[in-house]
Amino acid sequence: MQTLTLRGGGRVAVVEAEWYDAFCVVTRGRVQLELRDGEPGPVLGRDAGFWLRGTGVRALRNPGRRTARVRVVTPRARTVTRQSTDPVRQLPNDGGRT
């Protein structure tokens, strides 16, 4: 399990190959989904859970001033081999702190 921290006004791109099986839960603040066409999507508050798989979401944004946190859960015992020419963006590892 990882924690994604978004400072006020912050944005993180969603690369579908990296977020394919991730389930996310907003644990602090609010997070807005940025849709494929760049339009703003729904704003999700604390305790909102969501999948990104197949949604066409291209980024997560923090529309507020305060820091928002999202817990990202992915299946553990899965080995996936994939080749990509794109650089891989890794989520920060918080060392398991809550």
Side-chain angles (χ1 to χ4, degrees), residues 6 8 11 23 33 37 42-43 46 51 53 76 79 81-82 87 92-93:
L6 289 167
R11 178 184 183 273
F23 181 74
L33 306 180
D37 60 3
V43 176
R46 186 174 179 198
W51 292 97
R53 175 194 220 160
R76 289 180 178 237
T79 303
T81 303
R82 65 178 177 218
N93 182 353

Side-chain angles (χ1 to χ4, degrees), residues 17-56:
E18 295 173 26
W19 293 75
Y20 181 75
D21 58 355
F23 181 74
C24 305
V25 178
V26 179
T27 59
R28 180 178 177 191
R30 297 180 310 144
V31 173
Q32 184 171 32
L33 306 180
E34 184 178 307
L35 305 178
R36 184 177 301 151
D37 60 3
E39 292 295 315
V43 176
L44 306 173
R46 186 174 179 198
D47 295 332
F50 58 99
W51 292 97
L52 292 172
R53 175 194 220 160
T55 61

Side-chain angles (χ1 to χ4, degrees), residues 7 19 29 69:
R7 294 182 188 231
W19 293 75
R69 288 198 180 112

